[in-house]
Amino acid sequence: MSLADSTNLSATPPKRRRRLNNRVLRRLMRNKAAVASMVVIFLLVVVAVFGDLLAPHDPNKVTLSLRLMGPSGDHLLGTDELGRDVLSRLIVATRVDLLASAQAVGIALSVGVPLGIVAGYLGGFTDAVLSRVIDALMTLPPLILAVVVVAILGPGLRNAMFAIAILIVPSFYRIVRASTQGARNELYIESARASGCGTWRILWRHILPAVAPPLLVQASFSASVVIVAEASLSFLGLGARVPQATWGLMLNDASSNLTTSAYLIYPPTVMVAITILAFSLLGDGLRDALGRQTTDGK
Amino acid sequence: MTTTNPTLSVRGLTKVYGRRATLLRRHPHQLKAVDGVDLDIAPGKTLGLVGESGAGKSTVGRLVLRLIEPDAGTINLLDTDISTMSRGDLRRMRSHATMIFQDPYTSLDPRMLIKDSVAEPLIVHTDDNRATRHKKALEMVRRVGLDTAHMERFPYEMSGGQLQRVAIARALITDPSFIVCDEPVAALDVSTQAQVINLLNDLQAERGISYLFISHDLRLVRLIADEVAVMRAGKLLETGSAERVFAAPETDYTRELLAAIPGRSPRHRRFNGETAASVELDEAEREEAVVV
Ligand SMILES: Nc1ncnc2c1ncn2[C@@H]1O[C@H](COP(=O)(O)OP(=O)(O)O)[C@@H](O)[C@H]1O
Ligand SMILES: [Mg+2]
């Protein structure tokens, strides 16, 4: 009887059956720098996981007779001032650095994301209070904050990472808050309310997925910032402590022998440089791949 | 028994936007978006709420479901006074009374598969497990004229008409008694408009749902409404049966609205041929006449 029954309405052929995530992934894969950085990060992770097996020597074995030897067949990258194998220390340090970085980013995410979503979604008084606190955090000079935190909690890699987490919380908070404010006024949020969804479900199922892309980009950039920060703090003696091997500590060791064995500065520097480059390029690639999705993904 | 309680009964509904007067601000700038509106909708019937853009129609639609808070007035929905209902009760109420929005492109979460959008109200309102939800969603999706293949799509992979069918499926999946349709076809092209209106009519006949059908387009309203309320600048100008309002409008404003329908002022319609622009809808109307 009615038109709805008599007309051919929905016979769109099953073309364009690509998933949203596949589209993003395919765009990412077309970006050579992003692919290269993913390969590098994958290799770094492999090294981090299997470091103990890959290291040719015991990274902490002190052999004073082999101090500051240049690269050789047995010690491909030479030895440091205590005669420890530099390559082995570099490999073992990869795990420590990546874990520390993941830890700092993880803490910052778990604080910054909930606060940002709540502030962005509720607005008003809650937002005002939270945003002032975060602003206050941002006015603190990073290095001084790190020194204060380490002074209070004591030195050590974990505490240094905690200090760095505090420092990068504001960047996550701000990105999440801004994206949440954007998503909050979307019609599909009101539609979710009209369907009886509670605040919790709206935040988790509708707002968070909208916030995730810029968050992912920021997390990738932050990872590179944390690697540098770890190196700086450990170099200054505020982070990792001997005999632990981290790239920052190795730089510290190398600096005390600059006049005699300057080449020791290169291995950890190159590792830090490669790692931060990989994470920044991945962040760039993600931003490009996800950014275009929002415009033509409608 | 001939007397049934109305599905929706609203008295003195008022919403003021803007800032109130304070000690320092003597002259408030306020806008009475909705000003003392009374409405009744009988079970299984459709009230068409018409008026130009900015008249306050959407605000009324949101107010009667308490998606926004009224400044004054009482709302009786399904024999319950919802004006004073708690937040939790309000949420539960939304399985019985919900809303369909104007723009189907933005009223569905762009990151959710169609099947998840349709099934979401079941997660909120029932204890159904995944399999049951999927089964119900598929039934509903089929009922609105789509098929299994559409379940696995994202909104950007579908047309406006299809998306509005999805929105209807999502609204209907909890078997509500009342739905606010806020310009549900305004974003669609004319032939799709007729299809979606017919779908709404069929679903109403099947399930006895009441609609508050909001539109600025009187051609659409006459396809679906049993009663018509004309709104202007926050106030109701006249209310009456659709036949009465279309045949014998009481106010000049309603006459103006009717005259604005292309090629079909009441007299025009009776004696002249149809204009090209309204052919599609006229077809739907004829179909409709057969059904009713
Ligand atoms: N959230 C709001 N804040 C301030 N003014 C609003 C808001 N929503 C609607 N209005 C105003 O209320 C009036 C009625 O709006 P609306 O109900 O959307 O009209 P309609 O749906 O009939 O076009 C308009 O003048 C509009 O600008
Ligand atoms: Mg409107």
Side-chain angles (χ1 to χ4, degrees), chain A residues 1-7 9-20 23 186-188 190-199 201 205-206 209-210 293 297-298, chain B residues 62 67 87 91 94 97-99 101 103 106-112 120-121 123-125 145-146 150 152-154 156-157 162 165 170 194-195 198 202 284 287 290-291:
Chain A
M1 270 303 143
S2 75
L3 270 185
D5 302 324
S6 59
T7 331
L9 14 120
S10 55
T12 310
K15 51 178 182 180
R16 298 186 307 139
R17 286 285 316 277
R18 285 169 255 140
R19 292 301 180 82
L20 203 57
R23 289 154 54 92
E186 294 283 346
L187 197 53
Y188 64 82
E190 185 173 19
S191 160
R193 288 212 300 130
S195 300
C197 296
T199 307
R201 184 173 181 82
R205 288 310 174 96
H206 297 283
Q293 170 219 331
K298 191 173 169 181
Chain B
R62 294 182 161 114
L67 285 170
R87 284 169 65 100
R91 288 216 299 118
R94 303 199 189 289
T98 184
M99 185 153 176
F101 297 88
D103 185 354
T106 57
S107 69
L108 293 165
D109 191 328
R111 288 165 209 84
M112 267 196 182
E120 186 176 37
I123 301 178
V124 179
H125 296 292
L146 304 173
H150 295 108
E152 303 292 332
R153 293 198 187 171
F154 284 100
Y156 73 87
E157 296 173 304
Q162 292 173 331
R165 288 170 191 275
R170 175 179 157 96
Q195 293 170 5
N198 278 332
D202 293 349
E287 294 264 0
V290 179
V291 172

Coordinates of all heavy atoms in Angstrom, one line a residue, chain A residues 1-7 9-20 23 186-188 190-199 201 205-206 209-210 293 297-298, chain B residues 62 67 87 91 94 97-99 101 103 106-112 120-121 123-125 145-146 150 152-154 156-157 162 165 170 194-195 198 202 284 287 290-291:
Chain A
M1 N 0.8 -1.2 0.0 CA 0.0 0.0 0.0 C 0.8 1.3 0.0 O 0.7 2.1 -0.8 CB -0.9 0.0 1.3 CG -2.2 -0.6 1.1 SD -3.2 0.1 -0.3 CE -4.0 -1.3 -0.9
S2 N 1.7 1.3 0.9 CA 2.5 2.6 1.1 C 3.7 2.6 0.2 O 4.1 1.6 -0.3 CB 2.9 2.8 2.5 OG 4.0 1.9 2.8
L3 N 4.2 3.8 0.0 CA 5.4 3.9 -0.8 C 6.6 3.1 -0.3 O 7.4 2.6 -1.0 CB 5.8 5.4 -0.9 CG 5.2 6.2 -2.0 CD1 5.8 7.5 -2.0 CD2 5.5 5.5 -3.4
A4 N 6.7 3.0 1.1 CA 7.8 2.4 1.7 C 7.9 0.9 1.2 O 9.0 0.4 1.1 CB 7.7 2.5 3.2
D5 N 6.7 0.3 1.0 CA 6.7 -1.1 0.6 C 7.0 -1.2 -0.9 O 7.6 -2.2 -1.4 CB 5.4 -1.7 1.0 CG 5.2 -1.6 2.4 OD1 6.1 -1.7 3.2 OD2 4.0 -1.4 2.8
S6 N 6.4 -0.3 -1.7 CA 6.4 -0.4 -3.1 C 7.7 0.0 -3.8 O 8.0 -0.4 -4.9 CB 5.3 0.3 -3.7 OG 5.4 1.7 -3.4
T7 N 8.5 0.9 -3.1 CA 9.7 1.4 -3.8 C 10.9 0.7 -3.4 O 11.0 0.2 -2.3 CB 9.9 2.9 -3.4 OG1 8.6 3.5 -3.1 CG2 10.5 3.6 -4.5
L9 N 14.1 0.8 -1.9 CA 14.7 1.8 -1.1 C 16.1 1.7 -0.8 O 16.9 2.6 -0.9 CB 13.9 1.9 0.2 CG 13.0 0.8 0.6 CD1 13.4 0.1 1.8 CD2 11.6 1.3 0.7
S10 N 16.6 0.5 -0.4 CA 17.9 0.5 0.3 C 18.8 -0.4 -0.4 O 19.8 -0.9 0.2 CB 17.6 0.0 1.7 OG 17.0 -1.2 1.7
A11 N 18.6 -0.7 -1.7 CA 19.4 -1.7 -2.3 C 20.8 -1.1 -2.8 O 21.2 -1.3 -3.9 CB 18.7 -2.2 -3.6
T12 N 21.5 -0.4 -1.8 CA 22.8 0.0 -2.1 C 23.7 -1.2 -2.1 O 23.7 -2.0 -1.2 CB 23.3 1.0 -1.1 OG1 22.4 2.0 -0.9 CG2 24.6 1.6 -1.5
P13 N 24.4 -1.5 -3.2 CA 25.3 -2.7 -3.2 C 26.3 -2.6 -2.1 O 26.7 -1.6 -1.7 CB 25.9 -2.7 -4.6 CG 25.8 -1.2 -5.0 CD 24.6 -0.7 -4.4
P14 N 26.8 -3.8 -1.7 CA 27.8 -3.8 -0.6 C 29.2 -3.4 -1.0 O 30.1 -4.1 -0.9 CB 27.7 -5.2 -0.1 CG 27.3 -6.0 -1.3 CD 26.4 -5.1 -2.1
K15 N 29.3 -2.2 -1.5 CA 30.6 -1.6 -1.9 C 31.1 -0.9 -0.6 O 30.5 -1.0 0.4 CB 30.5 -0.6 -3.0 CG 29.4 0.4 -2.7 CD 29.2 1.4 -3.8 CE 28.1 2.4 -3.3 NZ 27.9 3.5 -4.2
R16 N 32.2 -0.3 -0.7 CA 32.8 0.5 0.4 C 32.6 -0.1 1.7 O 32.2 0.5 2.7 CB 32.1 1.9 0.4 CG 32.4 2.7 -0.9 CD 31.9 4.1 -0.8 NE 30.4 4.1 -0.4 CZ 29.9 4.9 0.5 NH1 30.6 5.8 1.1 NH2 28.6 4.8 0.8
R17 N 32.9 -1.4 1.8 CA 32.6 -2.1 3.1 C 33.9 -2.0 4.0 O 34.2 -2.9 4.7 CB 32.2 -3.5 2.9 CG 30.8 -3.7 2.4 CD 29.8 -3.4 3.5 NE 30.3 -4.1 4.8 CZ 30.0 -5.4 5.0 NH1 29.4 -6.1 4.1 NH2 30.4 -5.9 6.1
R18 N 34.6 -1.0 3.8 CA 35.9 -0.9 4.6 C 35.5 -0.4 6.1 O 34.7 0.4 6.3 CB 36.8 0.1 4.0 CG 37.5 -0.4 2.8 CD 38.2 0.8 2.1 NE 37.5 1.2 0.9 CZ 37.3 2.4 0.6 NH1 37.8 3.4 1.3 NH2 36.6 2.7 -0.5
R19 N 36.3 -0.9 7.0 CA 36.1 -0.5 8.4 C 36.9 0.8 8.6 O 37.9 1.1 7.9 CB 36.7 -1.6 9.3 CG 35.9 -2.8 9.3 CD 34.5 -2.5 9.8 NE 33.6 -3.7 9.8 CZ 33.6 -4.5 10.8 NH1 34.3 -4.3 11.8 NH2 32.7 -5.5 10.8
L20 N 36.4 1.6 9.5 CA 37.0 2.9 9.8 C 38.5 2.7 10.1 O 39.3 3.4 9.6 CB 36.2 3.4 11.0 CG 36.3 4.9 11.3 CD1 35.8 5.7 10.0 CD2 35.5 5.3 12.5
R23 N 40.8 2.1 7.2 CA 41.0 3.3 6.4 C 42.2 4.1 7.0 O 43.1 4.5 6.4 CB 39.8 4.2 6.4 CG 38.7 3.6 5.5 CD 37.4 4.1 5.9 NE 37.3 5.6 6.0 CZ 36.9 6.3 5.0 NH1 36.5 5.8 3.8 NH2 36.8 7.6 5.1
E186 N 27.6 17.7 20.1 CA 27.2 17.0 18.9 C 25.8 16.4 19.1 O 25.4 16.1 20.2 CB 28.1 15.8 18.6 CG 29.5 16.2 18.2 CD 29.6 16.7 16.8 OE1 28.7 16.5 16.0 OE2 30.6 17.4 16.4
L187 N 25.0 16.3 18.0 CA 23.7 15.9 18.1 C 23.6 14.4 18.6 O 22.7 14.0 19.3 CB 23.0 16.0 16.7 CG 21.5 15.9 16.7 CD1 20.9 16.9 17.7 CD2 20.9 16.1 15.3
Y188 N 24.6 13.6 18.3 CA 24.6 12.2 18.7 C 24.7 12.0 20.2 O 24.3 11.0 20.7 CB 25.6 11.3 17.9 CG 27.0 11.6 18.1 CD1 27.7 11.1 19.2 CD2 27.7 12.3 17.2 CE1 29.0 11.3 19.4 CE2 29.1 12.6 17.4 CZ 29.7 12.1 18.5 OH 31.1 12.3 18.6
E190 N 23.2 14.2 22.3 CA 21.8 14.5 22.8 C 21.0 13.2 22.4 O 20.1 12.9 23.2 CB 21.2 15.7 22.1 CG 19.8 16.0 22.7 CD 19.3 17.3 22.2 OE1 19.8 17.9 21.2 OE2 18.3 17.8 22.9
S191 N 21.2 12.7 21.3 CA 20.5 11.5 20.9 C 20.7 10.3 21.9 O 19.8 9.6 22.2 CB 20.9 11.1 19.5 OG 20.6 9.7 19.2
A192 N 22.0 10.2 22.4 CA 22.3 9.2 23.4 C 21.5 9.5 24.6 O 21.0 8.5 25.3 CB 23.8 9.2 23.6
R193 N 21.4 10.7 25.0 CA 20.6 11.1 26.2 C 19.2 10.8 26.0 O 18.5 10.2 26.9 CB 20.8 12.6 26.6 CG 22.2 12.9 27.1 CD 22.1 14.0 28.1 NE 21.6 15.2 27.5 CZ 20.6 16.0 28.0 NH1 20.1 15.6 29.2 NH2 20.2 17.1 27.4
A194 N 18.7 11.1 24.8 CA 17.2 10.8 24.5 C 17.0 9.3 24.6 O 15.8 8.9 24.8 CB 16.9 11.4 23.2
S195 N 18.0 8.5 24.3 CA 17.8 7.0 24.4 C 18.0 6.5 25.8 O 17.9 5.3 26.0 CB 18.8 6.3 23.5 OG 18.6 6.7 22.2
G196 N 18.3 7.3 26.7 CA 18.4 6.9 28.1 C 19.8 6.6 28.6 O 20.0 6.0 29.7
C197 N 20.8 6.8 27.8 CA 22.2 6.6 28.2 C 22.5 7.5 29.4 O 22.2 8.7 29.4 CB 23.2 6.9 27.0 SG 23.0 5.8 25.6
G198 N 23.2 6.9 30.3 CA 23.7 7.7 31.5 C 25.0 8.4 31.2 O 25.6 8.2 30.1
T199 N 25.4 9.3 32.1 CA 26.6 10.1 31.8 C 27.8 9.2 31.6 O 28.6 9.5 30.7 CB 26.8 11.0 33.1 OG1 25.6 11.8 33.3 CG2 28.0 12.0 32.8
R201 N 28.0 6.1 30.5 CA 28.0 5.5 29.2 C 28.4 6.5 28.1 O 29.1 6.2 27.1 CB 26.7 4.9 28.9 CG 26.7 4.1 27.6 CD 25.4 3.3 27.4 NE 25.6 2.7 26.1 CZ 26.3 1.6 25.9 NH1 26.8 1.0 27.0 NH2 26.6 1.1 24.7
R205 N 31.5 5.6 26.0 CA 31.2 5.0 24.7 C 31.1 6.0 23.5 O 31.2 5.7 22.4 CB 29.9 4.2 24.8 CG 30.0 2.9 25.5 CD 31.2 2.2 25.0 NE 31.5 1.0 25.8 CZ 31.1 -0.2 25.5 NH1 30.3 -0.4 24.4 NH2 31.4 -1.2 26.2
H206 N 30.8 7.3 23.9 CA 30.6 8.2 22.8 C 31.6 9.3 22.8 O 32.1 9.7 21.7 CB 29.2 8.9 22.9 CG 28.1 7.8 22.7 ND1 27.7 7.3 21.5 CD2 27.3 7.2 23.6 CE1 26.7 6.5 21.7 NE2 26.5 6.4 23.0
P209 N 35.8 7.7 22.5 CA 36.2 7.4 21.1 C 36.5 8.6 20.2 O 37.3 8.6 19.3 CB 35.1 6.5 20.6 CG 34.4 6.0 21.8 CD 34.5 7.0 22.8
A210 N 35.7 9.6 20.5 CA 35.9 10.9 19.7 C 37.2 11.6 20.1 O 37.8 12.2 19.3 CB 34.7 11.8 19.9
Q293 N 40.5 11.6 8.4 CA 39.3 10.8 8.6 C 38.1 11.6 9.1 O 37.0 11.3 8.6 CB 39.6 9.7 9.7 CG 38.4 9.0 10.2 CD 38.4 8.8 11.7 OE1 39.5 8.7 12.3 NE2 37.3 8.7 12.3
G297 N 35.4 11.2 6.6 CA 34.8 10.0 7.1 C 33.4 10.2 7.6 O 32.9 9.7 8.6
K298 N 32.6 11.0 6.8 CA 31.3 11.3 7.3 C 30.2 10.6 6.4 O 30.4 10.5 5.2 CB 31.1 12.8 7.2 CG 29.8 13.2 7.9 CD 29.8 14.7 8.0 CE 28.4 15.3 8.5 NZ 28.4 16.7 8.5
Chain B
R62 N 12.0 19.1 23.1 CA 13.0 18.7 24.1 C 12.4 18.8 25.5 O 12.7 18.0 26.4 CB 14.2 19.6 24.0 CG 15.0 19.4 22.7 CD 16.3 20.2 22.7 NE 17.2 19.6 21.7 CZ 17.5 20.3 20.5 NH1 17.1 21.5 20.3 NH2 18.3 19.7 19.7
L67 N 14.6 16.7 28.1 CA 16.0 16.8 27.7 C 16.6 18.1 28.1 O 17.8 18.2 28.2 CB 16.1 16.5 26.2 CG 15.8 15.1 25.7 CD1 15.7 15.0 24.2 CD2 17.0 14.2 26.2
R87 N 16.4 12.0 38.2 CA 17.3 11.7 37.0 C 17.2 10.2 36.6 O 17.1 9.9 35.4 CB 18.7 12.1 37.2 CG 19.0 13.6 37.2 CD 20.3 13.9 37.8 NE 21.4 13.3 36.9 CZ 22.1 14.0 36.0 NH1 21.8 15.3 35.9 NH2 23.0 13.4 35.3
R91 N 15.7 8.6 33.1 CA 16.4 7.7 32.2 C 15.6 6.4 31.8 O 15.6 6.0 30.7 CB 17.8 7.2 32.8 CG 18.8 8.4 32.9 CD 20.2 7.8 32.6 NE 20.6 6.8 33.6 CZ 20.9 5.6 33.3 NH1 20.8 5.2 32.1 NH2 21.3 4.7 34.2
R94 N 12.9 6.9 29.3 CA 13.3 7.1 27.9 C 13.1 5.8 27.1 O 13.3 5.8 25.9 CB 14.7 7.7 27.8 CG 14.8 9.0 28.6 CD 16.0 9.8 28.1 NE 16.1 11.0 29.0 CZ 15.3 12.0 29.1 NH1 14.3 12.1 28.2 NH2 15.5 13.0 29.9
A97 N 9.5 6.7 25.9 CA 9.3 8.0 25.2 C 10.7 8.5 24.8 O 11.6 8.8 25.6 CB 8.7 9.0 26.1
T98 N 10.9 8.7 23.5 CA 12.2 9.1 23.0 C 12.1 10.0 21.8 O 11.0 10.5 21.5 CB 13.1 7.9 22.7 OG1 14.4 8.3 22.3 CG2 12.5 7.0 21.5
M99 N 13.1 10.3 21.1 CA 13.1 11.4 20.1 C 13.9 11.0 18.9 O 14.9 10.2 18.9 CB 13.8 12.6 20.8 CG 13.7 13.9 19.9 SD 13.8 15.3 21.0 CE 13.9 16.6 19.8
F101 N 15.7 12.9 15.5 CA 16.2 14.3 15.3 C 16.2 14.6 13.8 O 16.1 13.7 12.9 CB 17.6 14.5 15.8 CG 17.6 14.4 17.3 CD1 17.8 13.1 17.9 CD2 17.4 15.5 18.1 CE1 17.8 13.0 19.3 CE2 17.4 15.4 19.5 CZ 17.6 14.1 20.1
D103 N 18.6 15.9 11.7 CA 19.8 15.6 10.9 C 20.3 14.2 11.1 O 21.1 14.0 12.1 CB 20.9 16.6 11.1 CG 22.0 16.4 10.1 OD1 22.0 15.4 9.3 OD2 22.9 17.3 10.0
T106 N 24.2 13.6 11.7 CA 24.9 13.9 12.9 C 24.2 13.3 14.1 O 24.8 13.4 15.2 CB 25.0 15.4 13.1 OG1 23.7 16.0 13.1 CG2 25.9 16.0 12.0
S107 N 23.0 12.7 14.0 CA 22.3 12.2 15.2 C 22.8 10.8 15.5 O 22.3 10.2 16.5 CB 20.8 12.3 15.1 OG 20.3 11.4 14.1
L108 N 23.6 10.1 14.7 CA 24.1 8.8 15.0 C 25.6 8.9 15.2 O 26.3 9.7 14.5 CB 23.8 7.9 13.8 CG 22.4 7.5 13.6 CD1 22.2 6.9 12.2 CD2 21.8 6.6 14.7
D109 N 26.1 8.2 16.2 CA 27.5 8.3 16.5 C 28.3 7.8 15.3 O 28.2 6.7 14.9 CB 27.9 7.4 17.7 CG 29.3 7.7 18.2 OD1 30.2 8.0 17.4 OD2 29.5 7.6 19.5
P110 N 29.2 8.7 14.7 CA 29.9 8.3 13.5 C 30.9 7.2 13.7 O 31.3 6.6 12.7 CB 30.6 9.6 13.1 CG 30.7 10.4 14.4 CD 29.5 10.1 15.1
R111 N 31.2 6.9 14.9 CA 32.2 5.8 15.2 C 31.6 4.5 15.6 O 32.3 3.6 16.0 CB 33.2 6.3 16.3 CG 34.1 7.3 15.8 CD 34.8 8.1 16.9 NE 35.1 9.4 16.5 CZ 34.3 10.4 16.6 NH1 33.1 10.2 17.0 NH2 34.7 11.6 16.1
M112 N 30.2 4.5 15.6 CA 29.6 3.2 15.9 C 29.0 2.5 14.7 O 28.4 3.2 13.8 CB 28.4 3.5 16.9 CG 28.8 3.4 18.3 SD 27.2 3.4 19.3 CE 27.9 3.3 20.9
E120 N 21.9 -0.1 21.1 CA 22.4 0.5 22.3 C 21.3 0.7 23.3 O 21.5 0.5 24.5 CB 23.0 1.9 22.0 CG 23.6 2.5 23.2 CD 24.4 3.8 22.9 OE1 23.9 4.6 22.1 OE2 25.4 4.1 23.5
P121 N 20.1 1.2 22.9 CA 19.0 1.3 24.0 C 18.7 0.1 24.7 O 18.3 0.1 25.9 CB 17.8 1.8 23.2 CG 18.4 2.5 22.0 CD 19.6 1.7 21.6
I123 N 20.9 -2.2 25.6 CA 22.0 -2.3 26.7 C 21.6 -1.5 27.9 O 21.7 -1.9 29.0 CB 23.3 -1.8 26.1 CG1 23.7 -2.6 24.9 CG2 24.4 -1.9 27.2 CD1 25.0 -2.1 24.3
V124 N 21.0 -0.3 27.6 CA 20.7 0.6 28.7 C 19.5 0.2 29.4 O 19.4 0.3 30.7 CB 20.5 2.1 28.1 CG1 20.1 3.0 29.2 CG2 21.7 2.5 27.4
H125 N 18.5 -0.3 28.7 CA 17.2 -0.6 29.3 C 16.8 -2.0 29.6 O 15.8 -2.3 30.3 CB 16.1 0.0 28.5 CG 16.1 1.5 28.3 ND1 15.9 2.4 29.4 CD2 16.5 2.3 27.3 CE1 16.1 3.6 29.0 NE2 16.4 3.6 27.7
G145 N 13.0 -1.4 6.7 CA 13.3 -1.4 5.3 C 14.8 -1.6 4.9 O 15.2 -1.4 3.8
L146 N 15.6 -1.9 5.9 CA 17.0 -2.1 5.6 C 17.3 -3.6 5.8 O 16.4 -4.4 6.1 CB 17.9 -1.3 6.5 CG 17.7 0.2 6.5 CD1 18.5 0.9 7.6 CD2 18.0 0.8 5.2
H150 N 23.4 -3.8 6.0 CA 23.5 -2.4 6.6 C 24.0 -2.5 8.1 O 24.5 -1.5 8.6 CB 22.2 -1.7 6.5 CG 21.7 -1.5 5.1 ND1 20.7 -2.2 4.5 CD2 22.2 -0.6 4.2 CE1 20.6 -1.7 3.3 NE2 21.5 -0.8 3.0
E152 N 26.4 -3.9 9.4 CA 27.9 -3.8 9.6 C 28.5 -2.5 9.1 O 29.7 -2.4 8.9 CB 28.6 -5.0 8.9 CG 28.1 -6.4 9.4 CD 28.5 -6.7 10.8 OE1 29.5 -6.2 11.2 OE2 27.7 -7.4 11.5
R153 N 27.7 -1.6 8.8 CA 28.2 -0.3 8.2 C 28.4 0.8 9.2 O 27.8 0.7 10.3 CB 27.3 0.2 7.1 CG 27.2 -0.7 5.9 CD 26.7 0.0 4.7 NE 26.5 -0.9 3.6 CZ 25.8 -0.6 2.5 NH1 25.3 0.6 2.4 NH2 25.7 -1.5 1.6
F154 N 29.2 1.7 8.8 CA 29.3 3.0 9.6 C 28.4 4.0 9.0 O 28.1 3.9 7.8 CB 30.7 3.5 9.6 CG 31.6 2.7 10.5 CD1 32.5 1.7 10.0 CD2 31.6 2.9 11.9 CE1 33.3 1.0 10.9 CE2 32.4 2.2 12.8 CZ 33.2 1.3 12.3
Y156 N 28.8 6.9 7.8 CA 29.2 7.6 6.5 C 29.1 6.7 5.3 O 29.2 7.2 4.2 CB 30.7 8.0 6.7 CG 31.7 6.9 6.6 CD1 32.2 6.5 5.4 CD2 32.2 6.2 7.7 CE1 33.1 5.4 5.3 CE2 33.1 5.2 7.7 CZ 33.5 4.8 6.4 OH 34.4 3.8 6.3
E157 N 28.8 5.4 5.5 CA 28.6 4.6 4.3 C 27.1 4.5 3.9 O 26.8 3.6 3.1 CB 29.1 3.2 4.6 CG 30.6 3.1 4.9 CD 31.0 1.8 5.4 OE1 30.5 1.3 6.4 OE2 31.9 1.2 4.8
Q162 N 18.5 6.3 4.5 CA 18.8 5.1 5.2 C 19.1 5.4 6.7 O 18.7 4.7 7.6 CB 20.0 4.4 4.6 CG 19.7 3.8 3.2 CD 20.9 3.3 2.5 OE1 22.0 3.7 2.7 NE2 20.7 2.3 1.6
R165 N 16.1 6.0 8.7 CA 15.5 4.7 9.0 C 16.2 4.0 10.2 O 15.6 3.4 11.1 CB 15.6 3.7 7.8 CG 14.6 4.1 6.7 CD 14.9 3.3 5.5 NE 14.1 3.8 4.4 CZ 12.9 3.5 4.1 NH1 12.2 2.7 4.9 NH2 12.2 4.1 3.1
R170 N 16.4 2.6 16.0 CA 17.0 2.8 17.3 C 16.0 3.3 18.3 O 15.9 2.9 19.4 CB 18.2 3.8 17.1 CG 18.8 4.3 18.4 CD 20.0 5.2 18.1 NE 20.3 6.1 19.2 CZ 21.3 5.8 20.1 NH1 22.0 4.8 19.9 NH2 21.5 6.7 21.0
A194 N 8.7 11.2 1.6 CA 7.4 10.5 1.5 C 7.6 9.1 2.1 O 6.8 8.6 2.8 CB 6.9 10.5 0.1
Q195 N 8.7 8.4 1.7 CA 8.9 7.1 2.2 C 9.1 7.0 3.7 O 8.5 6.1 4.4 CB 10.2 6.5 1.6 CG 10.1 6.3 0.1 CD 11.5 5.9 -0.5 OE1 12.4 5.8 0.2 NE2 11.5 5.8 -1.9
N198 N 5.8 7.6 5.4 CA 4.9 6.4 5.3 C 5.4 5.4 6.3 O 4.5 4.7 6.9 CB 5.0 5.8 3.9 CG 4.1 6.5 2.9 OD1 3.0 7.1 3.3 ND2 4.4 6.6 1.6
D202 N 3.0 3.7 9.1 CA 2.8 2.3 9.2 C 3.2 1.8 10.6 O 2.5 1.0 11.2 CB 3.7 1.5 8.2 CG 3.3 1.8 6.8 OD1 2.2 2.4 6.6 OD2 4.0 1.5 5.8
A284 N 2.3 10.5 -2.7 CA 2.3 9.9 -1.4 C 0.9 10.2 -0.7 O 0.4 9.3 0.0 CB 3.4 10.5 -0.5
E287 N -1.6 7.8 -2.1 CA -1.4 6.5 -1.4 C -2.0 6.5 0.0 O -2.7 5.6 0.4 CB 0.1 6.2 -1.3 CG 0.8 6.0 -2.6 CD 0.9 4.6 -3.0 OE1 0.4 3.7 -2.2 OE2 1.5 4.3 -4.0
V290 N -5.7 6.2 0.2 CA -6.1 4.8 0.1 C -6.0 4.0 1.4 O -6.9 3.3 1.8 CB -5.3 4.1 -1.0 CG1 -5.8 2.6 -1.2 CG2 -5.4 4.8 -2.3
V291 N -4.9 4.2 2.1 CA -4.7 3.5 3.3 C -5.7 3.9 4.4 O -6.3 3.0 5.0 CB -3.2 3.8 3.8 CG1 -3.1 3.2 5.2 CG2 -2.2 3.3 2.9

